Amino acid sequence: MSTDLQGLAQLLVLSLDPRQNKQAELAILQEEKKSAFSVSLLQIVAVEAYGDTARLASALYFKNFIKRNWTDEEGNYKLPENEVKAIKQELIGLMISVPSSIQYQLGDAIGVIADSDFWERWDTLVDDLVSRLTPDNPTTNNGVLQVAHSIFKRWRPLYRSDELFTEINHVLGKLGPAFLSLLDSTNRLIDQNKSNKLVLKQLFSTLNLIMKLLYDLSVQDLPPIFEDNLPALTSLLHKYLTYDNPLLHTDREDEAGSLEFVKSGIFEVLGLYVQKYEDVFGPHVEQFVGSSWNLLTTVGPETKYDILISKALQFLTSVTRVSQHAQGFSSATIMSQVVEKVILPNLSLRDSDMELFEDEPIEFIRRDLEGSDNDTRRRAATDFLRQLMAQFEKMVTEVVFRYIDHYLLEYSQNPRSNWKSKDTAVYLYSSIAAKGTVTASQGVKNTNDYVNVIEFFQTNIASDLVAGADVEPILRVDAIKYLYTFRSQMTKLQWRDAFPLLVKHLGSADYVVYSYAAIAVERILALTNDAHQPIISQADVKSLSKELLEHLFQLIEKDPAPEKLQENEFLMRCVMRVLVVIRDGVVPITDNVLSHFIQITELISKNPSNPRFYYYHFEALGALIRFAAPSQPEKLEEGLYSPFGDILQNEVQEFVPYVFQLFAALLEANPSGTLSEYYKSLIQPVLSPELWGPKGNVPALVRLLSSIIPRGVLDIVENNQIEAILGIFQQLVTTKTNETYGFELLECIISNFSPEILKNYYPTILQILLTRLQNSKTETFSLRFVRFYHLVSAKDDKGLGADFFINIAEQIQLGVFAPLYLTIILPDTQKLARPLDRKTAVISLTKTLADSTAFVEKYNLKGWGFTCEALLKLLENPPVPAATDDVIVDQDADDMSFGVGFTQLTTIRAQIRDQWPQITDVKRWVGEYLRSADTKHRGRIAGFIKERLSPEARQALLMYMQT
């Protein structure tokens, strides 16, 4: 059936409307089933008559469709071959011809295809790109370069490998000469069109893309063709680093233009070359240092130059890491000039910073936070100063202290008017006081040998923390941030005095002040000493937790609009931390805390817009469940049924994996309870194949199903749902991506359903596993199979055991067990790493030696001896029962990818369950079990030991049995 392009275009437009997107998306899913759907999307993108909105929506949908449907995990195409061929034929030319907003979406799609196909299955791509480059058409060239950058930028984070360099050499062999030729022709055209504003802007867009591609092509190693042409290349880089033309200036102070972008790109390339290729680039560095100095001392404070200034400072930071280049800054006179003309202008607050502070406070915080990835002048200047200090610590400290003292004196003469001077002084001091990396968990761990951060705080900063609203908000933020930055330098006793002051500032009327207070409170609550003991104890927090949490919730809920409520993730992170610290101290205030969580969940589910906020929201809710649900499970279950049910019913996809995890945690908190009617009604939807489609759902669904099964065995059997569950196991275990989850579900099934119930299914289960072992075994699959075998083998008291497994295997194929046991099970048993897995293996092998009929009658010659040797090898490093792990390990949301895959909630991370908790000393248990078996079997074990073991093995086993 052919696609109605006009109708599809209308649906794509409606999919962008929050009021109609659900129905539109369902209709588009039906369109997906038609042949050549992806090509239809490209046809809409190509035709201007459909309008910009439809074309952009089509490009966006095409990108996401390709992400889902290009290849399976084995690398096989999921689309028909003719459709794949058509996409590759059309995509490059289309991307070159469409507007830049659409190019970005198509570029991402090309990147996905390249990850799979380039270069072996798309070996014509580079030739195609090179053939489209022209000496005089910047519009076409920009499209080609955008395509190239979308593919080659993926080299930036990759580790070196032979395969990677083969690919890079393939590209350079075809693109290298054409790339340098394009750079040369673009340079000539810029000279020829220096008075033509329109053409000049297009050419600088070309030059900007050339700089990005120059970085891509050089990021892994310096290409020989670039090294051979390095003098000419550096000459052009220097020309455009110092280039100016009023036609390229922008009118607005906050709007960077193509000139700034090109120069920023040049600085990125220069920084790379200094860091990685100093041996050949070193002779050229000096001219760029001089040009950087001129730029830094002449460019104004306007925000449009922020990225350029940051990149220039980052380049100088890279230069000063090289000792021989750093010597240019080694005198106190030069250092004074650096501080005065470069550092201070970029550290001092500007009017634009204050406008951001007042008008967009959350953006001010995100830019200002230590460790954020924003290119701010302050951060870049701080990094440069710290690098200079790493080279000349004493001299830099002395020079900078002259300016610190000057600004503090200036402030003291008129505090109300000169508060910016103190801000500069505090920022300067913080910049030189910190030494080494500032960590997210501990802040500054090492400080400058020539400063005393506690003394400086007590003398110059503490008063701002105490005075409260009488002090300028920025100075209060500086005081809070100082404590936040140097938190590891303070003793527990000092924190006892300082912590209440931080909490007090949560009551500030100023957004940035109370947000920074929340940031600092959260990090201090997470702070531990060298013995891993908390600096702020649970008892200290528990006494004020009710008021503290209530105030944080009021700040979060101040504006009930969904997008505003979830704007400030720092407040919700603080809520989470308080709950983690007070643990079961939340029980008396559960009602109030739960009601706030329900209200927030209902509001943000209408329009999820800040992944970091709702991640911390669900982590905090997980903490409440973890610590309050064991004592009052019904209250939490009944309170959360409605908001969680609405999320599932309305398919709020961003929240669904979180909800499944939280449902599972609620069930696990009350393992002895029966399934409520609500959970019973949830089983059938959970088993529906559609729900298992999104990758992010799978781990959470396995966790939920594994939590339902122990409490719902009778209901599942009564409703004939076992086959559906086993169908999910089969679907998962046959794919490399989900094989681990398949085994987790299988282990839950065999641990909870009796062999009698499953007897008709075991041959099929084992057949599925053996087929995977034979056709597409992975290391992970093999180890999980061995773990599964030992679990079955160890459960002989539950009607399973080694003989049970052998009987099932022999039903499938006569004689299959012996090679399976000798080539996979025994060798890979020694690879098991987790203590509980090794413990299960010890129990399994011991019971096999003691009680298996097959190992007496069928495998009696070698099997028993090999099994004993494997057991003895395990006992050389006996598994030690894991201590109860009650520590919640932080995940930093800045390091996480949201919107794709699965995000684990750490506050409710599934606990590993020991199925044999009564066995604490495995060596003693092995000896006792074998002695008992020997008595039961009238000396059979002793006879086998004498007949079938080497002298060394015999002595070792008898030692265990005699202990």
Side-chain angles (χ1 to χ4, degrees):
M1 186 185 298
S2 61
T3 300
D4 172 13
L5 294 182
Q6 184 64 52
L8 177 57
Q10 291 173 352
L11 288 173
L12 289 164
V13 172
L14 292 175
S15 72
L16 302 178
D17 184 346
R19 298 165 299 178
Q20 305 180 70
N21 62 336
K22 294 293 183 187
Q23 299 90 326
E25 286 168 3
L26 289 173
I28 296 171
L29 285 174
Q30 293 303 312
E31 293 291 320
E32 280 191 22
K33 298 175 182 177
K34 296 179 180 178
S35 63
F37 170 75
S38 60
V39 178
S40 298
L41 291 173
L42 292 180
Q43 288 172 336
I44 293 171
V45 172
V47 178
E48 291 185 16
Y50 288 117
D52 293 342
T53 303
R55 296 174 74 198
L56 180 59
S58 190
L60 181 62
Y61 202 95
F62 175 80
K63 175 188 73 175
N64 293 325
F65 179 82
I66 291 299
K67 284 181 178 179
R68 296 194 316 268
N69 296 292
W70 188 251
T71 57
D72 60 23
E73 61 178 19
E74 305 289 344
N76 301 312
Y77 292 124
K78 295 168 72 173
L79 299 174
E81 191 172 337
N82 61 337
E83 192 169 348
V84 168
K85 189 175 180 181
I87 290 170
K88 290 181 179 178
Q89 286 176 339
E90 299 296 327
L91 194 51
I92 304 303
L94 180 58
M95 181 167 169
I96 290 170
S97 66
V98 296
S100 59
S101 59
I102 297 176
Q103 278 185 344
Y104 290 128
Q105 304 302 330
L106 296 182
D108 285 346
I110 289 172
V112 172
I113 295 171
D115 279 339
S116 161
D117 290 18
F118 188 75
W119 60 284
E120 290 89 343
R121 296 198 296 189
W122 202 1
D123 58 358
T124 60
L125 174 62
V126 182
D127 290 323
D128 187 8
L129 293 174
V130 171
S131 70
R132 295 173 186 269
L133 288 172
T134 73
D136 55 6
N137 187 334
T139 302
T140 298
N141 292 338
N142 290 349
V144 173
L145 293 172
Q146 189 68 54
V147 173
H149 175 56
S150 69
I151 296 170
F152 306 143
K153 68 181 179 183
R154 64 196 176 89
W155 294 339
R156 296 190 178 197
L158 299 181
Y159 291 108
R160 298 167 70 95
S161 68
D162 291 344
E163 293 80 8
L164 175 60
F165 278 93
T166 299
E167 179 179 319
I168 293 172
N169 289 334
H170 165 80
V171 172
L172 287 169
K174 297 173 180 291
L175 181 61
F179 176 78
L180 291 178
S181 176
L182 177 64
L183 176 56
D184 186 57
S185 63
T186 302
N187 174 49
R188 288 199 308 273
L189 287 172
I190 288 172
D191 290 340
Q192 294 167 12
N193 290 276
K194 59 185 177 182
S195 301
N196 188 329
K197 183 175 182 178
L198 182 62
V199 175
L200 198 62
K201 288 181 71 173
Q202 288 182 317
L203 290 167
F204 263 77
S205 292
T206 305
L207 197 56
N208 183 35
L209 287 165
I210 286 173
M211 290 305 121
K212 291 180 180 181
L213 208 55
L214 178 59
Y215 192 103
D216 297 337
L217 296 172
S218 305
V219 71
Q220 291 291 338
D221 203 357
L222 182 62
I225 192 172
F226 292 174
E227 185 174 350
D228 293 343
N229 291 275
L230 198 57
L233 191 59
T234 54
S235 175
L236 277 175
L237 292 176
H238 190 260
K239 172 183 176 179
Y240 287 105
L241 193 63
T242 56
Y243 184 91
D244 193 25
N245 189 322
L247 295 180
L248 295 172
H249 295 180
T250 58
D251 296 329
R252 290 173 49 181
E253 291 188 355
D254 60 348
E255 181 188 0
S258 53
L259 187 60
E260 289 75 44
F261 290 135
V262 166
K263 292 184 178 185
S264 298
I266 291 172
F267 275 125
E268 283 197 82
V269 171
L270 295 176
L272 174 71
Y273 276 43
V274 168
Q275 290 175 50
K276 298 192 70 170
Y277 315 122
E278 202 278 332
D279 55 332
V280 293
F281 186 64
H284 304 279
V285 167
E286 189 174 341
Q287 61 178 327
F288 291 106
V289 172
S291 301
S292 303
W293 177 266
N294 291 334
L295 184 146
L296 288 165
T297 54
T298 56
V299 167
E302 294 85 1
T303 56
K304 65 181 177 181
Y305 300 122
D306 283 2
I307 293 178
L308 174 57
I309 295 295
S310 297
K311 297 299 182 186
L313 288 166
Q314 288 167 17
F315 165 65
L316 289 181
T317 303
S318 298
V319 169
T320 51
R321 286 196 182 100
V322 181
S323 182
Q324 68 184 71
H325 298 314
Q327 294 308 309
F329 301 95
S330 61
S331 77
T333 302
I334 293 175
M335 191 60 64
S336 293
Q337 292 179 346
V338 170
V339 173
E340 193 163 319
K341 296 182 178 181
V342 174
I343 302 297
L344 286 172
N346 293 300
L347 273 183
S348 302
L349 279 172
R350 301 166 297 172
D351 291 341
S352 58
D353 297 321
M354 291 310 302
E355 288 173 8
L356 195 67
F357 183 97
E358 293 163 2
D359 299 338
E360 297 183 66
I362 193 68
E363 184 61 25
F364 177 91
I365 296 166
R366 288 180 182 143
R367 291 187 188 184
D368 187 57
L369 262 181
E370 183 83 47
S372 80
D373 57 0
N374 289 291
D375 288 320
T376 66
R377 293 188 185 218
R378 276 193 151 187
R379 178 157 303 104
T382 297
D383 290 343
F384 180 38
L385 185 56
R386 284 179 181 166
Q387 186 55 46
L388 288 168
M389 195 186 71
Q391 296 282 2
F392 317 106
E393 184 171 338
K394 186 176 182 181
M395 185 260 289
V396 170
T397 304
E398 290 172 350
V399 169
V400 171
F401 250 101
R402 291 203 295 269
Y403 291 94
I404 292 171
D405 291 340
H406 163 77
Y407 283 113
L408 287 175
L409 178 63
E410 198 170 76
Y411 169 74
S412 67
Q413 292 169 348
N414 191 340
R416 189 161 295 279
S417 298
N418 296 339
W419 59 269
K420 285 187 180 180
S421 297
K422 184 171 184 179
D423 171 77
T424 302
V426 171
Y427 216 101
L428 259 181
Y429 185 89
S430 298
S431 297
I432 63 163
K435 196 173 179 180
T437 304
V438 182
T439 67
S441 60
Q442 302 285 318
V444 173
K445 289 291 288 181
N446 299 299
T447 59
N448 184 335
D449 294 338
Y450 303 98
V451 304
N452 186 325
V453 295
I454 302 301
E455 182 182 297
F456 187 84
F457 171 75
Q458 293 169 338
T459 305
N460 298 292
I461 296 177
S463 58
D464 295 337
L465 209 59
V466 174
D470 294 335
V471 175
E472 278 289 330
I474 281 284
L475 295 185
R476 281 180 277 151
V477 169
D478 287 344
I480 295 168
K481 187 180 177 186
Y482 189 93
L483 286 179
Y484 162 80
T485 303
F486 296 103
R487 56 190 180 273
S488 289
Q489 303 304 312
M490 294 177 62
T491 65
K492 187 165 187 170
L493 191 61
Q494 289 166 337
W495 269 121
R496 188 175 298 170
D497 296 330
F499 186 71
L501 296 175
L502 283 180
V503 173
K504 184 188 77 170
H505 283 280
L506 286 170
S508 170
D510 188 277
Y511 188 103
V512 179
V513 173
Y514 71 66
S515 296
Y516 247 117
I519 291 166
V521 166
E522 189 277 328
R523 284 292 80 196
I524 276 76
L525 289 179
L527 191 63
T528 59
N529 60 20
D530 292 338
H532 303 293
Q533 296 301 309
I535 296 295
I536 307 294
S537 70
Q538 179 188 15
D540 292 338
V541 183
K542 191 184 291 187
S543 61
L544 52 85
S545 59
K546 181 178 179 181
E547 293 75 16
L548 179 55
L549 287 168
E550 181 61 31
H551 184 67
L552 286 166
F553 280 126
Q554 286 177 6
L555 291 174
I556 292 168
E557 297 166 0
K558 188 181 292 187
D559 188 335
E563 63 279 2
K564 291 298 292 182
L565 184 142
Q566 60 192 303
E567 173 185 74
N568 193 330
E569 67 267 20
F570 307 110
L571 296 174
M572 185 54 78
R573 186 176 188 180
C574 192
V575 169
M576 177 204 74
R577 182 62 55 197
V578 172
L579 291 171
V580 167
V581 170
I582 65 172
R583 306 176 82 82
D584 57 4
V586 75
V587 171
I589 56 174
T590 294
D591 288 348
N592 188 45
V593 174
L594 180 61
S595 66
H596 281 295
F597 277 133
I598 291 171
Q599 181 179 349
I600 292 170
T601 302
E602 290 172 344
L603 287 170
I604 64 175
S605 63
K606 295 176 183 176
N607 181 23
S609 58
N610 183 353
R612 287 177 174 79
F613 179 92
Y614 56 72
Y615 164 71
Y616 287 123
H617 169 70
F618 288 118
E619 283 282 23
L621 191 44
L624 176 66
I625 290 171
R626 175 169 176 171
F627 299 119
S631 61
Q632 38 195 329
E634 293 83 7
K635 178 182 292 184
L636 272 77
E637 287 182 8
E638 291 169 8
L640 294 170
Y641 284 160
S642 177
F644 285 0
D646 289 345
I647 287 168
L648 298 180
Q649 186 174 353
N650 295 325
E651 298 180 3
V652 186
Q653 192 56 51
E654 299 92 333
F655 291 1
V656 167
Y658 292 127
V659 167
F660 289 149
Q661 291 179 73
L662 293 167
F663 266 143
L666 284 167
L667 284 161
E668 291 159 3
N670 184 26
S672 60
T674 57
L675 276 186
S676 67
E677 291 302 317
Y678 185 90
Y679 281 125
K680 290 178 184 177
S681 69
L682 204 59
I683 296 175
Q684 192 56 47
V686 164
L687 298 179
S688 64
E690 295 78 15
L691 209 53
W692 294 81
K695 291 180 181 179
N697 285 1
V698 171
L701 280 169
V702 169
R703 168 96 180 267
L704 176 56
L705 198 49
S706 299
S707 302
I708 288 173
I709 288 172
R711 286 171 56 173
V713 168
L714 295 178
D715 296 289
I716 291 168
V717 172
E718 186 178 322
N719 293 310
N720 298 315
Q721 292 169 320
I722 291 179
E723 286 193 12
I725 295 174
L726 288 170
I728 291 168
F729 147 73
Q730 180 178 3
Q731 175 189 339
L732 297 177
V733 86
T734 52
T735 66
K736 292 177 182 177
T737 303
N738 294 321
E739 59 192 21
T740 298
Y741 303 116
F743 274 110
E744 285 181 13
L745 184 57
L746 178 60
E747 289 174 5
C748 177
I749 292 167
I750 67 169
S751 296
N752 288 282
F753 292 101
S754 70
E756 186 62 29
I757 292 173
L758 295 175
K759 66 180 180 181
N760 294 330
Y761 302 112
Y762 270 110
T764 305
I765 292 171
L766 196 51
Q767 179 70 67
I768 292 167
L769 298 180
L770 294 177
T771 301
R772 259 300 305 270
L773 274 176
Q774 183 176 0
N775 295 336
S776 54
K777 181 181 74 169
T778 65
E779 181 75 8
T780 300
F781 186 92
S782 180
L783 288 174
R784 289 307 296 254
F785 175 81
V786 171
R787 175 173 148 178
F788 164 72
Y789 166 79
H790 286 305
L791 183 64
V792 173
S793 173
K795 285 182 170 288
D796 60 343
D797 56 328
K798 304 294 185 184
L800 301 174
D803 288 347
F804 176 88
F805 189 97
I806 292 167
N807 289 336
I808 299 297
E810 296 296 306
Q811 287 178 35
I812 297 170
Q813 182 181 335
L814 198 62
V816 74
F817 179 75
L820 180 68
Y821 191 70
L822 294 175
T823 62
I824 294 179
I825 294 173
L826 284 185
D828 284 3
T829 292
Q830 305 304 326
K831 298 177 184 177
L832 294 172
R834 294 196 324 169
L836 280 177
D837 294 346
R838 295 174 68 83
K839 179 179 178 179
T840 303
V842 166
I843 295 169
S844 158
L845 296 176
T846 303
K847 289 186 173 183
T848 299
L849 294 174
D851 301 319
S852 169
T853 302
F855 275 79
V856 172
E857 298 176 354
K858 192 170 184 179
Y859 309 114
N860 61 336
L861 291 178
K862 294 183 179 180
W864 202 93
F866 288 149
T867 301
C868 189
E869 288 171 4
L871 172 62
L872 291 171
K873 199 166 185 180
L874 283 175
L875 292 176
E876 288 174 7
N877 181 23
V880 178
T884 303
D885 182 9
D886 208 22
V887 177
I888 296 173
V889 180
D890 272 359
Q891 287 188 108
D892 192 336
D894 291 333
D895 297 333
M896 300 160 66
S897 297
F898 296 103
V900 288
F902 167 74
T903 302
Q904 168 79 53
L905 293 176
T906 60
T907 52
I908 51 167
R909 187 183 296 275
Q911 299 297 305
I912 300 172
R913 190 169 70 89
D914 185 353
Q915 300 204 39
W916 292 273
Q918 71 280 9
I919 302 174
T920 55
D921 185 336
V922 292
K923 287 185 176 182
R924 179 186 296 273
W925 178 85
V926 168
E928 291 173 350
Y929 196 91
L930 290 177
R931 283 203 310 272
S932 174
D934 191 50
T935 301
K936 182 172 68 174
H937 297 301
R938 301 179 180 181
R940 186 173 76 189
I941 306 298
F944 285 171
I945 291 173
K946 185 176 180 180
E947 298 167 5
R948 302 179 184 183
L949 297 184
S950 66
E952 295 82 5
R954 186 184 313 136
Q955 181 180 355
L957 191 58
L958 287 173
M959 184 180 68
Y960 292 125
M961 292 178 67
Q962 291 165 4
T963 302

